[in-house]
Amino acid sequence: MSDIWYQFKKNKIALFGLFMTTAFIIAAIVAPLLAPYDPYKMSGAESLAGPSMAHWLGTDQFGRDIWSRIIYGTRISLKVGIISVGISLVVGTLIGVVAAYYGKWVDSVLSRLTDVMFSFPDILLALVIMAILGPSLTNLMIAIGIVYTPIFARIARGAVLTIKNALFIEAAKSMGISNVKIMWKHILPNSLAPLIVQVTLSLAFAILAEAALSFLGLGASPDTPSWGIMLSEGKNWMEQAWWIAVFPGIAITLAVFSFNVMGDGLRDALDPKLKNESS
Amino acid sequence: MATEELVRIDNLKKHFKISNGIFRKNTVVKAVDGLNFSVYKGETLGIVGESGCGKSTTGRLLMKLLEATEGKMYFEGEDVSTWDKQKLKARRRDFQMIFQDPYASLNPRMIVEDIIEEPLKTTDMSKEERKARVKQLLDDVGIPQDYRTRYPHEFSGGQRQRIGIARALALKPKFIVADEPVAALDVSIQAQIINLLVDLQEEYDFTYLFIAHDLSVVQYISDRVGVMYLGKMVELSESDDLYENPLHPYTQALLSSVPVPDIHHVKDRIPLEGEIPSPDNPPSGCPFHPRCPIAKQHCKEEVPSFREITEGHYVACHEVK
């Protein structure tokens, strides 16, 4: 572990990503402390007010405080990110591990299935699933989860294929350990590294997808403080009040960027080949 | 010597099919091609041979890690092929394996005590019993108790092999296949591990099938030695008898290549011509005939049978009378 941390902290941008990610998580947890206003509270007198001391990032057309809504928006974004990526991680890893471990026709069936899902553009597939399930935040998370499942399945399959012929797997078989236990205790812990990296990268995608789908009106109800919804609402007022759309946009960019660079840094730190070059 | 049979294999074969693509004929590699031998209770049977002669495949077949293409295997008189999954699972504890590469045979993400405890979890032992057993095993193989919670990468090769041995012993097996257990170790460590293996056999009273390519190691540890060539056994005899009186020309050539630590020793090497043939296209008749110094015409045509020449000394050669 200390070795991985040593490699990771050499990468300053990745360190920034980790810092920002931590900041977002803290913001989501202590949102009521950081937000000066109720994100739902409307105030006709203050509508479309520009950034000021009272409203740091201005207000929207209903007089709601943008800063407060962005802070509360981290909750939605992280929730969507974590739950949807959690769905794809669990389901995808299960598919990938089973496909690679049993091989033969099991592998063929599962791999072709993931290939089919891969062949659809991400957002389009999410749109189709949302159209079937109906728009709501829960369905949004399910849709994004399904869309990113094949990535995890493929990564897990690849990782397991390299590990399943290891001698210690054969040793476990010779001791009469059951297949399920071999997969859980021997194969999974040894193929976790690429999956962890993919989790951080997928979090960024999921946040982006949430924003995109919310922008299209397929996510949570329109009054919810979600970055995507704020962006969508703000676009109607771009000429009078640029701050309504720009600040949520910056929040999305920053979150996605942070997760991405953190994921990149993690991938480099976990790659043993890079380790040898630098030491 | 005890003559009670623990394991008997009868015309055991393992052929691997290698796919060459859709339009070409598949190659069949005859890794093990008709083995017959018995392992007696309490003995150590050494198996020697060059790389690729099928000795590791034999070990894996005996461990039921590979399915035999043909032939029968008997364990304590029971036909192993009739065992269903449940029965096989229950009997697995009776035969265990020590692997060649101690760097690859231990899960790098498990600590030592979990590695050794794992096979015990397949039994109905309580947690306390398992812990006590792990403690005992660590003592038996000479790993300090303080190292219980370390990971495999924190140990040297010899120590890792000791952990592998402890794991194989955990279930108190009756039969252990040791697949070149010292080949990956430093020479200075090899003797330690060999002695440990011998001591443990006395203590636990089990039977070894000891696979190696180092003839001096095998001579030291084995009661009987079998010599394999291209998936077949060419000679099998009591260890001393084989080393003093090798009958098969291949065995003679192998033994003549063993270095003797004596500067006055005049070496009388029998050089072997040519390469070991590929097991996907073995020679006709006696598989050794292309390299054999005494091969005759009939060696190319007829496969020699594996005959008992003197008591307990089996040879597959036409020219041995």
Short mmCIF file of all heavy atoms in Angstrom, two decimals, chain B residues 94-126:
data_model
loop_
_atom_site.label_atom_id
_atom_site.label_comp_id
_atom_site.label_asym_id
_atom_site.label_seq_id
_atom_site.Cartn_x
_atom_site.Cartn_y
_atom_site.Cartn_z
N ASP B 94 -6.79 -36.82 0.90
CA ASP B 94 -5.85 -37.93 0.98
C ASP B 94 -4.69 -37.80 0.02
O ASP B 94 -3.70 -38.48 0.15
CB ASP B 94 -6.58 -39.26 0.73
CG ASP B 94 -7.44 -39.65 1.91
OD1 ASP B 94 -7.14 -39.18 3.02
OD2 ASP B 94 -8.40 -40.40 1.72
N PHE B 95 -4.85 -36.98 -1.00
CA PHE B 95 -3.70 -36.77 -1.88
C PHE B 95 -3.51 -35.29 -2.15
O PHE B 95 -4.42 -34.58 -2.52
CB PHE B 95 -3.81 -37.58 -3.19
CG PHE B 95 -5.15 -37.55 -3.86
CD1 PHE B 95 -5.36 -36.68 -4.93
CD2 PHE B 95 -6.15 -38.39 -3.46
CE1 PHE B 95 -6.58 -36.65 -5.57
CE2 PHE B 95 -7.38 -38.36 -4.10
CZ PHE B 95 -7.60 -37.49 -5.16
N GLN B 96 -2.30 -34.83 -1.92
CA GLN B 96 -1.98 -33.42 -2.02
C GLN B 96 -0.73 -33.24 -2.84
O GLN B 96 -0.01 -34.19 -3.11
CB GLN B 96 -1.77 -32.84 -0.62
CG GLN B 96 -3.05 -32.74 0.20
CD GLN B 96 -3.97 -31.65 -0.31
OE1 GLN B 96 -3.57 -30.52 -0.50
NE2 GLN B 96 -5.21 -32.00 -0.56
N MET B 97 -0.48 -32.00 -3.21
CA MET B 97 0.63 -31.73 -4.12
C MET B 97 1.53 -30.63 -3.57
O MET B 97 1.06 -29.66 -2.99
CB MET B 97 0.05 -31.31 -5.48
CG MET B 97 1.07 -31.17 -6.57
SD MET B 97 0.27 -31.46 -8.15
CE MET B 97 1.66 -31.28 -9.25
N ILE B 98 2.82 -30.81 -3.77
CA ILE B 98 3.78 -29.74 -3.51
C ILE B 98 4.26 -29.27 -4.87
O ILE B 98 4.67 -30.08 -5.70
CB ILE B 98 4.96 -30.24 -2.66
CG1 ILE B 98 4.46 -30.72 -1.30
CG2 ILE B 98 6.01 -29.15 -2.49
CD1 ILE B 98 5.51 -31.48 -0.50
N PHE B 99 4.18 -27.97 -5.11
CA PHE B 99 4.43 -27.46 -6.45
C PHE B 99 5.87 -27.02 -6.63
O PHE B 99 6.59 -26.77 -5.67
CB PHE B 99 3.49 -26.29 -6.75
CG PHE B 99 2.06 -26.72 -6.85
CD1 PHE B 99 1.25 -26.77 -5.73
CD2 PHE B 99 1.53 -27.09 -8.07
CE1 PHE B 99 -0.06 -27.19 -5.82
CE2 PHE B 99 0.22 -27.51 -8.16
CZ PHE B 99 -0.58 -27.55 -7.04
N GLN B 100 6.23 -26.93 -7.91
CA GLN B 100 7.61 -26.62 -8.25
C GLN B 100 8.00 -25.19 -7.88
O GLN B 100 9.03 -24.96 -7.28
CB GLN B 100 7.81 -26.83 -9.76
CG GLN B 100 9.18 -26.37 -10.23
CD GLN B 100 9.39 -26.64 -11.70
OE1 GLN B 100 8.53 -27.16 -12.37
NE2 GLN B 100 10.55 -26.28 -12.19
N ASP B 101 7.15 -24.25 -8.27
CA ASP B 101 7.56 -22.85 -8.14
C ASP B 101 6.93 -22.22 -6.90
O ASP B 101 5.75 -21.88 -6.91
CB ASP B 101 7.12 -22.09 -9.40
CG ASP B 101 7.59 -20.65 -9.38
OD1 ASP B 101 8.15 -20.23 -8.35
OD2 ASP B 101 7.39 -19.95 -10.38
N PRO B 102 7.70 -22.05 -5.84
CA PRO B 102 7.10 -21.51 -4.61
C PRO B 102 6.74 -20.03 -4.73
O PRO B 102 6.09 -19.48 -3.86
CB PRO B 102 8.19 -21.72 -3.56
CG PRO B 102 9.45 -21.73 -4.33
CD PRO B 102 9.13 -22.30 -5.68
N TYR B 103 7.18 -19.41 -5.84
CA TYR B 103 6.83 -18.00 -6.02
C TYR B 103 5.43 -17.86 -6.61
O TYR B 103 4.77 -16.85 -6.43
CB TYR B 103 7.85 -17.30 -6.91
CG TYR B 103 9.18 -17.15 -6.23
CD1 TYR B 103 10.12 -18.15 -6.30
CD2 TYR B 103 9.45 -16.02 -5.47
CE1 TYR B 103 11.33 -18.04 -5.63
CE2 TYR B 103 10.65 -15.90 -4.80
CZ TYR B 103 11.58 -16.90 -4.89
OH TYR B 103 12.77 -16.79 -4.22
N ALA B 104 5.00 -18.87 -7.34
CA ALA B 104 3.70 -18.77 -8.01
C ALA B 104 2.62 -19.60 -7.33
O ALA B 104 1.45 -19.44 -7.63
CB ALA B 104 3.84 -19.21 -9.47
N SER B 105 3.01 -20.49 -6.42
CA SER B 105 2.01 -21.41 -5.88
C SER B 105 1.32 -20.87 -4.63
O SER B 105 0.43 -21.50 -4.09
CB SER B 105 2.64 -22.76 -5.58
OG SER B 105 3.60 -22.64 -4.56
N LEU B 106 1.75 -19.68 -4.15
CA LEU B 106 1.09 -19.08 -2.99
C LEU B 106 0.39 -17.80 -3.43
O LEU B 106 0.97 -16.99 -4.13
CB LEU B 106 2.12 -18.76 -1.90
CG LEU B 106 3.02 -19.90 -1.44
CD1 LEU B 106 4.04 -19.38 -0.43
CD2 LEU B 106 2.21 -21.01 -0.81
N ASN B 107 -0.85 -17.65 -3.01
CA ASN B 107 -1.62 -16.45 -3.34
C ASN B 107 -0.95 -15.22 -2.72
O ASN B 107 -0.83 -15.13 -1.50
CB ASN B 107 -3.04 -16.62 -2.79
CG ASN B 107 -3.95 -15.47 -3.19
OD1 ASN B 107 -3.49 -14.39 -3.54
ND2 ASN B 107 -5.24 -15.72 -3.14
N PRO B 108 -0.49 -14.26 -3.56
CA PRO B 108 0.26 -13.13 -3.03
C PRO B 108 -0.55 -12.22 -2.11
O PRO B 108 0.02 -11.40 -1.39
CB PRO B 108 0.70 -12.37 -4.29
CG PRO B 108 -0.22 -12.82 -5.36
CD PRO B 108 -0.61 -14.22 -5.02
N ARG B 109 -1.86 -12.36 -2.11
CA ARG B 109 -2.69 -11.47 -1.28
C ARG B 109 -3.23 -12.15 -0.05
O ARG B 109 -4.19 -11.67 0.56
CB ARG B 109 -3.83 -10.90 -2.11
CG ARG B 109 -3.31 -10.14 -3.30
CD ARG B 109 -4.19 -9.05 -3.78
NE ARG B 109 -3.57 -8.47 -4.95
CZ ARG B 109 -3.11 -7.23 -4.97
NH1 ARG B 109 -3.22 -6.47 -3.93
NH2 ARG B 109 -2.53 -6.76 -6.06
N MET B 110 -2.66 -13.28 0.30
CA MET B 110 -3.10 -13.94 1.53
C MET B 110 -1.92 -14.05 2.48
O MET B 110 -0.79 -14.24 2.06
CB MET B 110 -3.63 -15.35 1.21
CG MET B 110 -5.07 -15.35 0.73
SD MET B 110 -5.53 -16.96 0.07
CE MET B 110 -6.03 -17.79 1.55
N ILE B 111 -2.20 -13.92 3.80
CA ILE B 111 -1.12 -14.08 4.76
C ILE B 111 -0.89 -15.57 5.02
O ILE B 111 -1.76 -16.40 4.75
CB ILE B 111 -1.39 -13.32 6.07
CG1 ILE B 111 -2.69 -13.77 6.70
CG2 ILE B 111 -1.39 -11.82 5.84
CD1 ILE B 111 -2.90 -13.22 8.09
N VAL B 112 0.29 -15.85 5.56
CA VAL B 112 0.72 -17.25 5.69
C VAL B 112 -0.28 -18.12 6.44
O VAL B 112 -0.62 -19.22 6.01
CB VAL B 112 2.10 -17.28 6.40
CG1 VAL B 112 2.45 -18.69 6.82
CG2 VAL B 112 3.15 -16.74 5.45
N GLU B 113 -0.79 -17.61 7.57
CA GLU B 113 -1.67 -18.49 8.34
C GLU B 113 -2.97 -18.79 7.59
O GLU B 113 -3.50 -19.88 7.71
CB GLU B 113 -1.93 -17.96 9.75
CG GLU B 113 -2.72 -16.68 9.83
CD GLU B 113 -2.97 -16.29 11.29
OE1 GLU B 113 -2.73 -17.10 12.19
OE2 GLU B 113 -3.41 -15.14 11.51
N ASP B 114 -3.42 -17.83 6.78
CA ASP B 114 -4.62 -18.11 5.97
C ASP B 114 -4.33 -19.11 4.87
O ASP B 114 -5.18 -19.94 4.54
CB ASP B 114 -5.15 -16.81 5.35
CG ASP B 114 -5.77 -15.90 6.39
OD1 ASP B 114 -6.06 -16.41 7.50
OD2 ASP B 114 -5.93 -14.70 6.13
N ILE B 115 -3.13 -19.01 4.30
CA ILE B 115 -2.75 -19.96 3.24
C ILE B 115 -2.75 -21.38 3.78
O ILE B 115 -3.29 -22.30 3.16
CB ILE B 115 -1.35 -19.60 2.68
CG1 ILE B 115 -1.42 -18.31 1.86
CG2 ILE B 115 -0.80 -20.74 1.83
CD1 ILE B 115 -0.07 -17.78 1.42
N ILE B 116 -2.17 -21.55 4.97
CA ILE B 116 -2.07 -22.91 5.52
C ILE B 116 -3.43 -23.37 6.05
O ILE B 116 -3.76 -24.54 6.01
CB ILE B 116 -1.00 -22.95 6.63
CG1 ILE B 116 0.36 -22.57 6.05
CG2 ILE B 116 -0.92 -24.33 7.25
CD1 ILE B 116 1.46 -22.45 7.06
N GLU B 117 -4.21 -22.42 6.54
CA GLU B 117 -5.50 -22.80 7.12
C GLU B 117 -6.53 -23.16 6.05
O GLU B 117 -7.46 -23.92 6.30
CB GLU B 117 -6.04 -21.62 7.96
CG GLU B 117 -7.21 -22.01 8.84
CD GLU B 117 -7.84 -20.82 9.52
OE1 GLU B 117 -7.31 -19.70 9.42
OE2 GLU B 117 -8.89 -21.02 10.15
N GLU B 118 -6.33 -22.62 4.84
CA GLU B 118 -7.36 -22.78 3.81
C GLU B 118 -7.81 -24.22 3.58
O GLU B 118 -9.01 -24.50 3.59
CB GLU B 118 -6.92 -22.14 2.51
CG GLU B 118 -8.10 -21.92 1.61
CD GLU B 118 -7.73 -21.28 0.29
OE1 GLU B 118 -6.59 -21.40 -0.14
OE2 GLU B 118 -8.62 -20.67 -0.29
N PRO B 119 -6.88 -25.16 3.37
CA PRO B 119 -7.36 -26.54 3.17
C PRO B 119 -8.12 -27.09 4.38
O PRO B 119 -9.01 -27.93 4.21
CB PRO B 119 -6.06 -27.34 2.91
CG PRO B 119 -4.95 -26.47 3.35
CD PRO B 119 -5.42 -25.06 3.21
N LEU B 120 -7.78 -26.60 5.57
CA LEU B 120 -8.46 -27.10 6.76
C LEU B 120 -9.92 -26.67 6.79
O LEU B 120 -10.75 -27.30 7.45
CB LEU B 120 -7.76 -26.59 8.03
CG LEU B 120 -6.30 -27.01 8.19
CD1 LEU B 120 -5.65 -26.27 9.34
CD2 LEU B 120 -6.19 -28.51 8.40
N LYS B 121 -10.21 -25.59 6.08
CA LYS B 121 -11.58 -25.09 6.07
C LYS B 121 -12.52 -26.01 5.29
O LYS B 121 -13.73 -25.87 5.37
CB LYS B 121 -11.63 -23.68 5.47
CG LYS B 121 -11.12 -22.63 6.45
CD LYS B 121 -11.28 -21.24 5.88
CE LYS B 121 -10.87 -20.21 6.90
NZ LYS B 121 -10.64 -18.91 6.28
N THR B 122 -11.94 -26.92 4.50
CA THR B 122 -12.80 -27.87 3.79
C THR B 122 -13.24 -29.01 4.71
O THR B 122 -14.03 -29.84 4.33
CB THR B 122 -12.07 -28.47 2.57
OG1 THR B 122 -10.92 -29.18 3.05
CG2 THR B 122 -11.62 -27.41 1.60
N THR B 123 -12.68 -29.04 5.93
CA THR B 123 -13.07 -30.08 6.88
C THR B 123 -14.04 -29.48 7.91
O THR B 123 -14.35 -28.29 7.84
CB THR B 123 -11.84 -30.60 7.65
OG1 THR B 123 -11.35 -29.55 8.48
CG2 THR B 123 -10.75 -31.03 6.69
N ASP B 124 -14.49 -30.31 8.85
CA ASP B 124 -15.41 -29.76 9.86
C ASP B 124 -14.68 -29.39 11.15
O ASP B 124 -15.26 -29.38 12.23
CB ASP B 124 -16.56 -30.75 10.15
CG ASP B 124 -16.05 -32.17 10.31
OD1 ASP B 124 -14.83 -32.32 10.52
OD2 ASP B 124 -16.87 -33.10 10.24
N MET B 125 -13.40 -29.06 11.04
CA MET B 125 -12.65 -28.65 12.23
C MET B 125 -13.15 -27.30 12.74
O MET B 125 -13.51 -26.43 11.95
CB MET B 125 -11.16 -28.52 11.88
CG MET B 125 -10.43 -29.83 11.76
SD MET B 125 -8.79 -29.58 11.03
CE MET B 125 -7.83 -29.25 12.49
N SER B 126 -13.11 -27.12 14.06
CA SER B 126 -13.51 -25.83 14.62
C SER B 126 -12.37 -24.83 14.43
O SER B 126 -11.25 -25.20 14.10
CB SER B 126 -13.81 -25.98 16.11
OG SER B 126 -12.61 -26.17 16.81
#
